[in-house]
Amino acid sequence: MTDRTVETGLGSIGKIKIVKALAEENKMATVYLLHKKTGLKRDDIKNNLDDLIRIGWVKQQKYASVAYGLNGENEQVATVVRFFRDVGYVGQP
C-alpha cells in the first residue's frame, strides 16, 4: 500500500460520494442503488468502483447481480468512515 492509496480513494467527488453511500448502507449495494443515492452516472460509478476495488477499499460480490460494499478490514477505509461520521458527513448505521 502506498501513500497514493488515499489520494486514489478520495481523489474525486464521485469516490467520496460512493464511500459515503456504502457507509450509510452498511450492506452490499448494487450500481443501481449507488446511482440512486449519489446521482452519479452509471459509467462513472463503475469506473470509480474499479479504482476503489483495486486499492482494497471496496469488495465486490456476485449474486444474481453484482453488489459492492466497503472493506471493513481495511484500516484506511475505517479511518475515512470514522472521520466522515465525526464531521457529520455520514450518519450512524
Side-chain angles (χ1 to χ4, degrees):
M1 190 116 27
T2 67
D3 292 335
R4 300 200 53 84
T5 301
V6 173
E7 292 171 1
T8 299
L10 298 176
S12 72
I13 191 66
K15 290 176 188 159
I16 292 170
K17 286 181 175 185
I18 289 169
V19 169
K20 176 185 180 190
L22 291 173
E24 289 176 343
E25 273 307 300
N26 203 27
K27 63 180 180 180
M28 301 301 278
T30 62
V31 170
Y32 175 78
L33 180 62
L34 292 172
H35 167 70
K36 297 285 280 178
K37 289 187 71 87
T38 64
L40 298 170
K41 296 177 186 173
R42 292 173 191 259
D43 286 342
D44 292 339
I45 292 170
K46 289 177 183 178
N47 290 334
N48 285 322
L49 283 169
D50 287 345
D51 287 344
L52 293 169
I53 290 167
R54 183 175 43 79
I55 64 171
W57 283 26
V58 169
K59 293 191 245 183
Q60 174 182 352
Q61 293 184 348
K62 295 182 181 181
Y63 302 110
S65 60
V66 179
Y68 303 89
L70 292 178
N71 182 357
E73 298 171 6
N74 185 303
E75 192 172 320
Q76 289 178 332
V77 172
T79 301
V80 167
V81 171
R82 196 168 35 256
F83 169 74
F84 282 174
R85 286 197 173 112
D86 288 348
V87 298
Y89 185 64
V90 171
Q92 296 298 323

